[in-house]
Amino acid sequence: MKKTLTINIGYSIFNIDEEAYEILNKYLESIKNYFDTIDNEREIIKDFELRIAEKFSEKISNSKQCINLADVGEVIEIMGTLDDFKEIYDGVDSGNNNDKSEVNNKLYRNSSTRIIAGVCSGIADYFKIDPIIVRILFFIAVPLNLIIYIILWVGVPSKDFDPNLRKILFRDKENGIIGGVAKGLSNYLKIDANLIRVVFFGSLFFGGFGFLFYLLLWVFTKEAKTIGQKMNMSGFNINLSNIEDFLKKKTGNLNKSESTIVRIFLFPFRLLAPLLNTFLRIAIIIFKAIFLITIGAIAGVSGVLLLVLSVISFNQILPEQDPEFYEILNAVPDYFIIVLGISLVLTIIISFLTAVYVMFNKKSNSYVFMLLIFLWFVFIGFTIISIPGVIIHMQDLNLMPNWIDGNYSFIWKWNDGVMLNKN
Amino acid sequence: MSTENFKIQIRKGLLEFCVLQIVSKKEVYASEIIEELKNSKIIVVEGTVYPLLSRLKKSEYIKHEWKESLQGPPRKYYSITDSGLKYIEELIVSWNDINSSVKSLLKSKN
């Protein structure tokens, strides 16, 4: 069973497999981008879509009602990819030439060929040199490079010169050994995966930074799951060999060739992989548990405080019952009690929501949550700011009760001049 | 230089000429143009035709019209304009010139 989408292309409607859709979408996107400068009225792309629709309708029959990846691959083969168009149109009327002259006039961060923020590749474009030279120069210039890099990152606008080449760092678990981190990095940086593995492994003997780095990347990068993500790992480039590769991979015909040395080197890691995998999973669970317990404790304490606060404020205490306490209570300004109460309520709500998000692995991108956090900061801030005022107010009324004695010295120090005069 | 590269260069130069030629004969829609170009092995992939048609239309050598079709959505039919006819005559003249000079070059070799 597969999930399908319904698309409207060239005035016709088709059902299409999810992965086929992803490829088709990227394909049309790449054409749109390539002919962007000469295709003002979106005419070329519409012609493409019409023709693709025609081809699709030939593929559809009663026994086959859905467009699949093979169909899309076939259609792309017939229609041609960017490589084919470049053959005919480069140097004639494609807008790419204009783009390049623009590059040399102004410094941009090139986000298409970037590794971090495209600063180095942008500089390389500007001076027409290989980015690797700039990168090495930057790397040598520790720690000045960091400052320069950040300044350029902030100050120089970024530009996507070729969105099809935009890379995203994913974990390539399918082709990886443990978590696919090294393989993902290798796809991203276009360096041999085994080299990266050796560096990671080697760092174990020099303080183990690599291990930490590996864990961080493991936790913070997503695994490439959909076909689009897999293609984005090394820059999305629609061409036939790419699509064929995916078709082959799906049927499992792609045989990996590894030399014996590589196999020997990787053997212990292959053995360790399941062990490390479980270790990480357990570590994450423990982490979550600790986090949840902390949040629970915060929420619990706030709840108790809130309860005490509400009991005190809503149950009227008569002066005869406890004259001293009555006086203290009256001395605390109403606004302080209200602000404190709201802060506590907010704390409880936010803790609860955070706990839910963490437990169910949800991302909190709701504006409500943001607003709550903002309000929480405001009210907590207000509470903290008003505490000294309240204490001074009570001191003025000579109402520092016995139970605050422990803190007396602190207040004394804090409010030196005034206190000396009072006593 | 491989023969493949040679073919690409020739095709690149002649594509516009061939498309105009096909359109000038009768009103056609894109798929028919593609079919004919494919049969005569001028193009390999279909996508190369659309940008060219768009450019020719912008230079007002050809125009298009939407027509209902029996199966499926309406189709774009292309036909040649007066300036297109004039342009193609010029192209034919220069083609004949080049053709004859190349032919005579080939003959003189033998």
Side-chain angles (χ1 to χ4, degrees):
Chain A
M1 192 181 74
K2 268 184 198 164
K3 198 172 158 191
T4 63
L5 300 159
T6 307
I7 54 165
N8 174 353
I9 179 169
Y11 310 108
S12 306
I13 288 169
F14 296 99
N15 287 322
I16 183 166
D17 278 357
E18 210 174 11
E19 49 189 16
Y21 166 78
E22 251 182 286
I23 296 293
L24 182 67
N25 190 32
K26 296 268 183 185
Y27 174 68
L28 288 173
E29 204 59 35
S30 72
I31 290 169
K32 210 183 277 176
N33 184 56
Y34 182 69
F35 292 118
D36 195 32
T37 39
I38 55 166
D39 190 21
N40 299 325
E41 289 112 47
R42 296 260 166 269
E43 200 184 353
I44 296 173
I45 194 76
K46 272 182 203 154
D47 287 343
F48 265 94
E49 289 184 359
L50 267 175
R51 184 67 175 154
I52 290 170
E54 250 177 34
K55 295 270 172 208
F56 279 172
S57 53
E58 288 165 18
K59 304 266 174 218
I60 295 293
S61 65
N62 272 339
S63 55
K64 181 175 170 298
Q65 302 187 336
C66 189
I67 300 292
N68 59 30
L69 193 56
D71 296 331
V72 170
E74 212 175 297
V75 165
I76 290 175
E77 190 176 352
I78 293 169
M79 298 301 289
T81 59
L82 285 193
D83 295 339
D84 301 309
F85 308 147
K86 275 176 186 159
E87 224 165 59
I88 305 278
Y89 291 100
D90 261 14
V92 184
D93 51 5
S94 125
N96 286 13
N97 299 329
N98 302 336
D99 266 2
K100 265 169 199 147
S101 60
E102 220 176 291
V103 173
N104 299 328
N105 293 335
K106 230 180 140 185
L107 180 63
Y108 284 108
R109 286 187 288 115
N110 189 341
S111 40
S112 300
T113 49
R114 65 176 187 170
I115 285 187
I116 300 172
V119 170
C120 287
S121 51
I123 293 172
D125 282 347
Y126 189 78
F127 291 111
K128 290 182 189 163
I129 48 175
D130 196 311
I132 193 81
I133 298 170
V134 185
R135 283 185 185 125
I136 289 170
L137 283 176
F138 253 89
F139 194 72
I140 292 169
V142 180
L144 200 67
N145 57 358
L146 270 177
I147 302 160
I148 296 174
Y149 197 94
I150 289 168
I151 290 172
L152 288 175
W153 189 345
V154 176
V156 177
S158 84
K159 200 171 171 186
D160 222 343
F161 291 103
D162 193 349
N164 301 312
L165 293 175
R166 193 191 298 134
K167 292 177 288 183
I168 299 168
L169 183 60
F170 283 109
R171 279 187 294 119
D172 189 357
K173 202 161 184 179
E174 215 169 73
N175 301 308
I177 307 288
I178 302 173
V181 172
K183 183 66 189 162
L185 268 177
S186 121
N187 290 334
Y188 188 79
L189 301 173
K190 296 206 166 78
I191 302 172
D192 187 67
N194 291 321
L195 197 70
I196 295 172
R197 286 179 187 133
V198 169
V199 171
F200 269 129
F201 183 67
S203 84
L204 282 178
F205 304 107
F206 298 97
F209 286 112
F211 184 66
L212 196 70
F213 189 55
Y214 191 96
L215 284 184
L216 280 176
L217 282 177
W218 195 343
V219 174
F220 286 107
T221 54
K222 275 189 196 157
E223 187 190 331
K225 277 185 180 144
T226 72
I227 193 164
Q229 287 172 334
K230 278 172 195 164
M231 279 188 141
N232 264 126
M233 281 195 296
S234 47
F236 205 98
N237 197 7
I238 287 266
N239 55 40
L240 290 177
S241 68
N242 242 345
I243 294 169
E244 265 166 32
D245 272 1
F246 279 104
L247 285 172
K248 269 185 207 158
K249 251 182 212 168
K250 266 171 63 83
T251 48
N253 282 339
L254 209 73
N255 47 342
K256 288 184 208 169
S257 52
E258 276 176 354
S259 66
T260 343
I261 303 169
V262 172
R263 237 178 268 168
I264 290 168
F265 172 72
L266 292 178
F267 180 70
F269 292 99
R270 290 221 164 94
L271 269 184
L272 273 174
L275 206 72
L276 271 167
N277 254 318
T278 29
F279 166 74
L280 198 80
R281 231 169 263 156
I282 291 167
I284 288 173
I285 291 169
I286 291 172
F287 227 75
K288 271 189 185 173
I290 292 172
F291 190 71
L292 285 176
I293 288 168
T294 316
I295 283 181
I298 292 172
V301 170
S302 316
V304 169
L305 276 175
L306 192 67
L307 202 69
V308 170
L309 201 68
S310 52
V311 165
I312 291 173
S313 357
F314 290 119
N315 289 359
Q316 285 222 316
I317 295 171
L318 299 170
E320 298 86 59
Q321 276 179 317
D322 191 344
E324 207 181 330
F325 194 57
Y326 175 78
E327 250 182 306
I328 293 164
L329 215 59
N330 268 2
V332 179
D334 282 346
Y335 77 88
F336 184 73
I337 291 175
I338 292 166
V339 169
L340 186 64
I342 293 173
S343 318
L344 289 173
V345 171
L346 282 172
T347 310
I348 292 166
I349 294 173
I350 288 171
S351 321
F352 181 72
L353 283 177
T354 316
V356 170
Y357 286 141
V358 170
M359 269 214 286
F360 299 106
N361 269 337
K362 266 191 175 176
K363 262 194 179 170
S364 63
N365 45 9
S366 79
Y367 291 108
V368 181
F369 191 69
M370 295 290 166
L371 187 73
L372 281 174
I373 295 272
F374 174 73
L375 285 175
W376 183 79
F377 269 111
V378 170
F379 278 99
I380 285 285
F382 198 62
T383 311
I384 290 169
I385 287 169
S386 43
I387 284 174
V390 171
I391 288 171
I392 291 170
H393 176 68
M394 287 169 72
Q395 283 168 356
D396 282 346
L397 295 172
N398 251 334
L399 273 175
M400 275 337 276
N402 299 332
W403 49 268
I404 229 166
D405 261 2
N407 295 343
Y408 211 65
S409 57
F410 161 71
I411 294 156
W412 180 276
K413 266 183 202 158
W414 183 81
N415 209 11
D416 241 69
V418 188
M419 292 298 290
L420 280 172
N421 294 339
K422 285 269 148 109
N423 292 0
Chain B
M1 202 190 246
S2 66
T3 52
E4 197 47 46
N5 204 342
F6 176 73
K7 279 183 201 159
I8 289 167
Q9 295 295 327
I10 299 264
R11 265 192 230 128
K12 198 168 162 177
L14 289 180
L15 186 56
E16 187 182 286
F17 183 44
C18 294
V19 168
L20 272 173
Q21 197 64 258
I22 293 166
V23 176
S24 73
K25 277 187 265 177
K26 64 175 197 312
E27 221 181 15
V28 284
Y29 82 106
S31 309
E32 286 180 287
I33 301 173
I34 288 160
E35 213 51 51
E36 231 172 294
L37 287 173
K38 263 184 155 177
N39 287 341
S40 46
K41 291 195 177 137
I42 300 287
I43 56 164
V44 188
V45 291
E46 297 188 0
T48 44
V49 175
Y50 297 111
L52 185 69
L53 286 172
S54 149
R55 201 182 61 199
L56 286 172
K57 224 191 68 200
K58 247 175 232 164
S59 338
E60 291 180 349
Y61 294 138
I62 59 171
K63 58 181 192 281
H64 81 256
E65 217 177 314
W66 287 99
K67 282 190 178 172
E68 295 291 325
S69 85
L70 290 176
Q71 66 278 75
R75 287 168 170 173
K76 237 182 194 176
Y77 276 81
Y78 292 92
S79 57
I80 200 144
T81 62
D82 291 342
S83 63
L85 275 174
K86 225 176 270 169
Y87 181 58
I88 203 169
E89 268 167 36
E90 286 164 30
L91 286 182
I92 288 171
V93 170
S94 45
W95 165 249
N96 284 336
D97 282 353
I98 293 166
N99 200 12
S100 58
S101 15
V102 172
K103 266 183 187 160
S104 67
L105 263 178
L106 288 174
K107 261 180 203 161
S108 67
K109 251 190 177 177
N110 288 340

mmCIF file of all heavy atoms in Angstrom, chain A residues 68-104:
data_model
loop_
_atom_site.group_PDB
_atom_site.id
_atom_site.type_symbol
_atom_site.label_atom_id
_atom_site.label_comp_id
_atom_site.label_asym_id
_atom_site.label_seq_id
_atom_site.Cartn_x
_atom_site.Cartn_y
_atom_site.Cartn_z
ATOM 1 N N ASN A 68 3.324 6.231 -11.209
ATOM 2 C CA ASN A 68 4.370 5.850 -10.265
ATOM 3 C C ASN A 68 5.721 6.414 -10.675
ATOM 4 O O ASN A 68 5.843 7.113 -11.682
ATOM 5 C CB ASN A 68 4.431 4.328 -10.098
ATOM 6 C CG ASN A 68 4.704 3.629 -11.419
ATOM 7 O OD1 ASN A 68 5.367 4.177 -12.295
ATOM 8 N ND2 ASN A 68 4.186 2.436 -11.566
ATOM 9 N N LEU A 69 6.718 6.067 -9.891
ATOM 10 C CA LEU A 69 8.053 6.631 -10.098
ATOM 11 C C LEU A 69 8.612 6.263 -11.469
ATOM 12 O O LEU A 69 9.252 7.083 -12.140
ATOM 13 C CB LEU A 69 8.987 6.140 -8.983
ATOM 14 C CG LEU A 69 10.328 6.846 -8.860
ATOM 15 C CD1 LEU A 69 10.148 8.319 -8.681
ATOM 16 C CD2 LEU A 69 11.120 6.263 -7.720
ATOM 17 N N ALA A 70 8.342 5.037 -11.902
ATOM 18 C CA ALA A 70 8.859 4.602 -13.201
ATOM 19 C C ALA A 70 8.257 5.444 -14.324
ATOM 20 O O ALA A 70 8.952 5.816 -15.275
ATOM 21 C CB ALA A 70 8.544 3.125 -13.418
ATOM 22 N N ASP A 71 6.963 5.762 -14.200
ATOM 23 C CA ASP A 71 6.315 6.613 -15.214
ATOM 24 C C ASP A 71 6.972 7.981 -15.270
ATOM 25 O O ASP A 71 7.250 8.498 -16.352
ATOM 26 C CB ASP A 71 4.820 6.799 -14.886
ATOM 27 C CG ASP A 71 4.071 5.486 -14.960
ATOM 28 O OD1 ASP A 71 4.507 4.623 -15.740
ATOM 29 O OD2 ASP A 71 3.068 5.338 -14.244
ATOM 30 N N VAL A 72 7.177 8.538 -14.097
ATOM 31 C CA VAL A 72 7.789 9.863 -14.043
ATOM 32 C C VAL A 72 9.190 9.812 -14.635
ATOM 33 O O VAL A 72 9.583 10.680 -15.426
ATOM 34 C CB VAL A 72 7.832 10.401 -12.594
ATOM 35 C CG1 VAL A 72 8.669 11.665 -12.491
ATOM 36 C CG2 VAL A 72 6.426 10.694 -12.116
ATOM 37 N N GLY A 73 9.939 8.763 -14.295
ATOM 38 C CA GLY A 73 11.278 8.611 -14.851
ATOM 39 C C GLY A 73 11.236 8.549 -16.363
ATOM 40 O O GLY A 73 12.038 9.188 -17.054
ATOM 41 N N GLU A 74 10.287 7.790 -16.885
ATOM 42 C CA GLU A 74 10.147 7.648 -18.333
ATOM 43 C C GLU A 74 9.829 8.992 -18.990
ATOM 44 O O GLU A 74 10.416 9.357 -20.009
ATOM 45 C CB GLU A 74 9.016 6.654 -18.616
ATOM 46 C CG GLU A 74 9.206 5.843 -19.868
ATOM 47 C CD GLU A 74 8.107 4.813 -19.980
ATOM 48 O OE1 GLU A 74 8.028 3.921 -19.092
ATOM 49 O OE2 GLU A 74 7.315 4.920 -20.914
ATOM 50 N N VAL A 75 8.880 9.697 -18.380
ATOM 51 C CA VAL A 75 8.485 10.988 -18.940
ATOM 52 C C VAL A 75 9.658 11.965 -18.924
ATOM 53 O O VAL A 75 9.903 12.676 -19.897
ATOM 54 C CB VAL A 75 7.272 11.569 -18.161
ATOM 55 C CG1 VAL A 75 7.083 13.039 -18.477
ATOM 56 C CG2 VAL A 75 6.028 10.793 -18.510
ATOM 57 N N ILE A 76 10.401 11.956 -17.817
ATOM 58 C CA ILE A 76 11.557 12.852 -17.738
ATOM 59 C C ILE A 76 12.580 12.479 -18.803
ATOM 60 O O ILE A 76 13.199 13.340 -19.423
ATOM 61 C CB ILE A 76 12.170 12.811 -16.318
ATOM 62 C CG1 ILE A 76 11.230 13.485 -15.320
ATOM 63 C CG2 ILE A 76 13.528 13.507 -16.296
ATOM 64 C CD1 ILE A 76 11.668 13.402 -13.886
ATOM 65 N N GLU A 77 12.706 11.186 -19.051
ATOM 66 C CA GLU A 77 13.641 10.751 -20.087
ATOM 67 C C GLU A 77 13.220 11.286 -21.458
ATOM 68 O O GLU A 77 14.054 11.711 -22.262
ATOM 69 C CB GLU A 77 13.709 9.225 -20.117
ATOM 70 C CG GLU A 77 14.828 8.721 -20.979
ATOM 71 C CD GLU A 77 14.971 7.211 -20.943
ATOM 72 O OE1 GLU A 77 14.287 6.560 -20.123
ATOM 73 O OE2 GLU A 77 15.748 6.700 -21.750
ATOM 74 N N ILE A 78 11.924 11.262 -21.720
ATOM 75 C CA ILE A 78 11.429 11.743 -23.015
ATOM 76 C C ILE A 78 11.542 13.265 -23.101
ATOM 77 O O ILE A 78 11.958 13.812 -24.115
ATOM 78 C CB ILE A 78 9.955 11.312 -23.221
ATOM 79 C CG1 ILE A 78 9.880 9.800 -23.358
ATOM 80 C CG2 ILE A 78 9.382 11.971 -24.458
ATOM 81 C CD1 ILE A 78 8.477 9.251 -23.289
ATOM 82 N N MET A 79 11.176 13.929 -22.018
ATOM 83 C CA MET A 79 11.169 15.393 -22.047
ATOM 84 C C MET A 79 12.583 15.975 -21.986
ATOM 85 O O MET A 79 12.834 17.058 -22.492
ATOM 86 C CB MET A 79 10.370 15.946 -20.857
ATOM 87 C CG MET A 79 8.913 15.562 -20.841
ATOM 88 S SD MET A 79 8.041 16.103 -22.299
ATOM 89 C CE MET A 79 7.981 17.857 -22.039
ATOM 90 N N GLY A 80 13.463 15.255 -21.350
ATOM 91 C CA GLY A 80 14.831 15.744 -21.242
ATOM 92 C C GLY A 80 15.086 16.458 -19.932
ATOM 93 O O GLY A 80 14.176 17.003 -19.320
ATOM 94 N N THR A 81 16.325 16.409 -19.475
ATOM 95 C CA THR A 81 16.692 17.069 -18.229
ATOM 96 C C THR A 81 17.519 18.315 -18.538
ATOM 97 O O THR A 81 17.830 18.605 -19.682
ATOM 98 C CB THR A 81 17.533 16.127 -17.343
ATOM 99 O OG1 THR A 81 18.685 15.758 -18.082
ATOM 100 C CG2 THR A 81 16.751 14.898 -16.963
ATOM 101 N N LEU A 82 17.871 19.003 -17.484
ATOM 102 C CA LEU A 82 18.623 20.241 -17.645
ATOM 103 C C LEU A 82 19.888 20.050 -18.473
ATOM 104 O O LEU A 82 20.274 20.913 -19.238
ATOM 105 C CB LEU A 82 18.988 20.805 -16.266
ATOM 106 C CG LEU A 82 17.865 21.463 -15.491
ATOM 107 C CD1 LEU A 82 18.435 22.237 -14.327
ATOM 108 C CD2 LEU A 82 17.066 22.387 -16.378
ATOM 109 N N ASP A 83 20.531 18.890 -18.305
ATOM 110 C CA ASP A 83 21.755 18.641 -19.065
ATOM 111 C C ASP A 83 21.486 18.737 -20.560
ATOM 112 O O ASP A 83 22.294 19.274 -21.317
ATOM 113 C CB ASP A 83 22.315 17.259 -18.724
ATOM 114 C CG ASP A 83 22.767 17.181 -17.280
ATOM 115 O OD1 ASP A 83 23.010 18.260 -16.702
ATOM 116 O OD2 ASP A 83 22.866 16.075 -16.736
ATOM 117 N N ASP A 84 20.334 18.203 -20.977
ATOM 118 C CA ASP A 84 19.987 18.262 -22.400
ATOM 119 C C ASP A 84 19.735 19.687 -22.856
ATOM 120 O O ASP A 84 20.132 20.082 -23.946
ATOM 121 C CB ASP A 84 18.724 17.429 -22.667
ATOM 122 C CG ASP A 84 18.915 15.979 -22.280
ATOM 123 O OD1 ASP A 84 19.904 15.393 -22.722
ATOM 124 O OD2 ASP A 84 18.075 15.453 -21.527
ATOM 125 N N PHE A 85 19.052 20.453 -22.006
ATOM 126 C CA PHE A 85 18.724 21.819 -22.409
ATOM 127 C C PHE A 85 19.968 22.692 -22.441
ATOM 128 O O PHE A 85 20.107 23.556 -23.290
ATOM 129 C CB PHE A 85 17.694 22.451 -21.454
ATOM 130 C CG PHE A 85 16.479 21.600 -21.263
ATOM 131 C CD1 PHE A 85 15.820 21.588 -20.055
ATOM 132 C CD2 PHE A 85 16.009 20.808 -22.297
ATOM 133 C CE1 PHE A 85 14.703 20.785 -19.877
ATOM 134 C CE2 PHE A 85 14.892 20.016 -22.121
ATOM 135 C CZ PHE A 85 14.245 20.009 -20.905
ATOM 136 N N LYS A 86 20.856 22.434 -21.496
ATOM 137 C CA LYS A 86 22.079 23.233 -21.430
ATOM 138 C C LYS A 86 22.862 23.075 -22.722
ATOM 139 O O LYS A 86 23.455 24.013 -23.219
ATOM 140 C CB LYS A 86 22.923 22.792 -20.236
ATOM 141 C CG LYS A 86 22.493 23.491 -18.959
ATOM 142 C CD LYS A 86 23.253 22.993 -17.756
ATOM 143 C CE LYS A 86 22.679 23.606 -16.491
ATOM 144 N NZ LYS A 86 23.015 22.827 -15.303
ATOM 145 N N GLU A 87 22.823 21.863 -23.264
ATOM 146 C CA GLU A 87 23.513 21.583 -24.514
ATOM 147 C C GLU A 87 23.073 22.560 -25.605
ATOM 148 O O GLU A 87 23.869 23.065 -26.372
ATOM 149 C CB GLU A 87 23.121 20.170 -24.944
ATOM 150 C CG GLU A 87 24.249 19.331 -25.440
ATOM 151 C CD GLU A 87 23.821 17.885 -25.478
ATOM 152 O OE1 GLU A 87 22.842 17.577 -26.169
ATOM 153 O OE2 GLU A 87 24.458 17.067 -24.795
ATOM 154 N N ILE A 88 21.773 22.798 -25.658
ATOM 155 C CA ILE A 88 21.228 23.618 -26.745
ATOM 156 C C ILE A 88 21.227 25.102 -26.377
ATOM 157 O O ILE A 88 21.519 25.952 -27.205
ATOM 158 C CB ILE A 88 19.771 23.180 -27.060
ATOM 159 C CG1 ILE A 88 19.724 21.686 -27.373
ATOM 160 C CG2 ILE A 88 19.193 24.005 -28.196
ATOM 161 C CD1 ILE A 88 20.101 21.312 -28.776
ATOM 162 N N TYR A 89 20.890 25.390 -25.123
ATOM 163 C CA TYR A 89 20.582 26.791 -24.808
ATOM 164 C C TYR A 89 21.677 27.553 -24.095
ATOM 165 O O TYR A 89 21.611 28.757 -24.023
ATOM 166 C CB TYR A 89 19.292 26.868 -23.993
ATOM 167 C CG TYR A 89 18.115 26.499 -24.825
ATOM 168 C CD1 TYR A 89 17.556 25.238 -24.749
ATOM 169 C CD2 TYR A 89 17.587 27.397 -25.741
ATOM 170 C CE1 TYR A 89 16.498 24.878 -25.551
ATOM 171 C CE2 TYR A 89 16.535 27.040 -26.544
ATOM 172 C CZ TYR A 89 15.985 25.781 -26.439
ATOM 173 O OH TYR A 89 14.952 25.442 -27.240
ATOM 174 N N ASP A 90 22.672 26.864 -23.574
ATOM 175 C CA ASP A 90 23.704 27.620 -22.874
ATOM 176 C C ASP A 90 24.475 28.473 -23.859
ATOM 177 O O ASP A 90 24.857 28.026 -24.936
ATOM 178 C CB ASP A 90 24.654 26.677 -22.130
ATOM 179 C CG ASP A 90 24.265 26.600 -20.674
ATOM 180 O OD1 ASP A 90 23.140 27.048 -20.372
ATOM 181 O OD2 ASP A 90 25.050 26.103 -19.866
ATOM 182 N N GLY A 91 24.686 29.705 -23.501
ATOM 183 C CA GLY A 91 25.408 30.610 -24.381
ATOM 184 C C GLY A 91 24.524 31.210 -25.446
ATOM 185 O O GLY A 91 24.951 32.081 -26.170
ATOM 186 N N VAL A 92 23.276 30.769 -25.558
ATOM 187 C CA VAL A 92 22.380 31.367 -26.534
ATOM 188 C C VAL A 92 21.508 32.419 -25.860
ATOM 189 O O VAL A 92 21.730 33.604 -25.988
ATOM 190 C CB VAL A 92 21.503 30.299 -27.229
ATOM 191 C CG1 VAL A 92 20.664 30.950 -28.314
ATOM 192 C CG2 VAL A 92 22.377 29.214 -27.824
ATOM 193 N N ASP A 93 20.555 31.935 -25.085
ATOM 194 C CA ASP A 93 19.679 32.933 -24.475
ATOM 195 C C ASP A 93 19.288 32.575 -23.056
ATOM 196 O O ASP A 93 18.307 33.056 -22.547
ATOM 197 C CB ASP A 93 18.424 33.127 -25.326
ATOM 198 C CG ASP A 93 17.774 31.804 -25.645
ATOM 199 O OD1 ASP A 93 18.237 30.766 -25.126
ATOM 200 O OD2 ASP A 93 16.819 31.795 -26.399
ATOM 201 N N SER A 94 20.056 31.692 -22.457
ATOM 202 C CA SER A 94 19.692 31.369 -21.078
ATOM 203 C C SER A 94 20.178 32.489 -20.159
ATOM 204 O O SER A 94 21.208 33.111 -20.415
ATOM 205 C CB SER A 94 20.336 30.047 -20.680
ATOM 206 O OG SER A 94 21.088 30.223 -19.532
ATOM 207 N N GLY A 95 19.430 32.713 -19.142
ATOM 208 C CA GLY A 95 19.757 33.818 -18.254
ATOM 209 C C GLY A 95 20.957 33.550 -17.371
ATOM 210 O O GLY A 95 21.439 34.435 -16.699
ATOM 211 N N ASN A 96 21.449 32.333 -17.388
ATOM 212 C CA ASN A 96 22.532 31.988 -16.474
ATOM 213 C C ASN A 96 23.771 32.850 -16.678
ATOM 214 O O ASN A 96 24.538 33.074 -15.773
ATOM 215 C CB ASN A 96 22.905 30.514 -16.630
ATOM 216 C CG ASN A 96 21.859 29.638 -16.004
ATOM 217 O OD1 ASN A 96 20.779 30.129 -15.693
ATOM 218 N ND2 ASN A 96 22.150 28.377 -15.804
ATOM 219 N N ASN A 97 23.951 33.307 -17.923
ATOM 220 C CA ASN A 97 25.131 34.129 -18.195
ATOM 221 C C ASN A 97 25.054 35.448 -17.452
ATOM 222 O O ASN A 97 26.046 35.920 -16.921
ATOM 223 C CB ASN A 97 25.256 34.391 -19.691
ATOM 224 C CG ASN A 97 25.426 33.093 -20.443
ATOM 225 O OD1 ASN A 97 25.990 32.145 -19.911
ATOM 226 N ND2 ASN A 97 24.921 33.045 -21.647
ATOM 227 N N ASN A 98 23.878 36.020 -17.425
ATOM 228 C CA ASN A 98 23.714 37.283 -16.710
ATOM 229 C C ASN A 98 24.016 37.106 -15.237
ATOM 230 O O ASN A 98 24.650 37.930 -14.620
ATOM 231 C CB ASN A 98 22.277 37.806 -16.853
ATOM 232 C CG ASN A 98 21.921 37.993 -18.308
ATOM 233 O OD1 ASN A 98 22.801 38.171 -19.134
ATOM 234 N ND2 ASN A 98 20.636 37.929 -18.603
ATOM 235 N N ASP A 99 23.540 36.001 -14.717
ATOM 236 C CA ASP A 99 23.732 35.721 -13.301
ATOM 237 C C ASP A 99 25.207 35.742 -12.939
ATOM 238 O O ASP A 99 25.603 36.268 -11.933
ATOM 239 C CB ASP A 99 23.163 34.338 -12.957
ATOM 240 C CG ASP A 99 21.748 34.470 -12.463
ATOM 241 O OD1 ASP A 99 21.260 35.612 -12.448
ATOM 242 O OD2 ASP A 99 21.147 33.447 -12.112
ATOM 243 N N LYS A 100 25.998 35.129 -13.831
ATOM 244 C CA LYS A 100 27.406 34.969 -13.499
ATOM 245 C C LYS A 100 28.114 36.317 -13.473
ATOM 246 O O LYS A 100 28.974 36.534 -12.636
ATOM 247 C CB LYS A 100 28.069 34.018 -14.488
ATOM 248 C CG LYS A 100 28.076 32.613 -13.905
ATOM 249 C CD LYS A 100 28.477 31.556 -14.895
ATOM 250 C CE LYS A 100 28.011 30.199 -14.410
ATOM 251 N NZ LYS A 100 27.650 29.337 -15.492
ATOM 252 N N SER A 101 27.750 37.198 -14.389
ATOM 253 C CA SER A 101 28.415 38.492 -14.386
ATOM 254 C C SER A 101 28.023 39.281 -13.138
ATOM 255 O O SER A 101 28.786 40.079 -12.617
ATOM 256 C CB SER A 101 28.058 39.276 -15.644
ATOM 257 O OG SER A 101 26.672 39.474 -15.702
ATOM 258 N N GLU A 102 26.814 38.996 -12.659
ATOM 259 C CA GLU A 102 26.354 39.657 -11.445
ATOM 260 C C GLU A 102 27.177 39.219 -10.240
ATOM 261 O O GLU A 102 27.485 40.005 -9.363
ATOM 262 C CB GLU A 102 24.892 39.299 -11.194
ATOM 263 C CG GLU A 102 24.043 40.435 -10.703
ATOM 264 C CD GLU A 102 22.613 39.987 -10.595
ATOM 265 O OE1 GLU A 102 21.979 39.744 -11.638
ATOM 266 O OE2 GLU A 102 22.159 39.830 -9.463
ATOM 267 N N VAL A 103 27.540 37.945 -10.252
ATOM 268 C CA VAL A 103 28.305 37.386 -9.147
ATOM 269 C C VAL A 103 29.600 38.163 -8.950
ATOM 270 O O VAL A 103 30.007 38.464 -7.849
ATOM 271 C CB VAL A 103 28.646 35.908 -9.430
ATOM 272 C CG1 VAL A 103 29.580 35.375 -8.362
ATOM 273 C CG2 VAL A 103 27.388 35.090 -9.483
ATOM 274 N N ASN A 104 30.240 38.493 -10.067
ATOM 275 C CA ASN A 104 31.555 39.093 -9.974
ATOM 276 C C ASN A 104 31.512 40.552 -9.538
ATOM 277 O O ASN A 104 32.498 41.086 -9.077
ATOM 278 C CB ASN A 104 32.261 38.973 -11.318
ATOM 279 C CG ASN A 104 32.437 37.514 -11.684
ATOM 280 O OD1 ASN A 104 32.593 36.667 -10.809
ATOM 281 N ND2 ASN A 104 32.375 37.208 -12.958
#
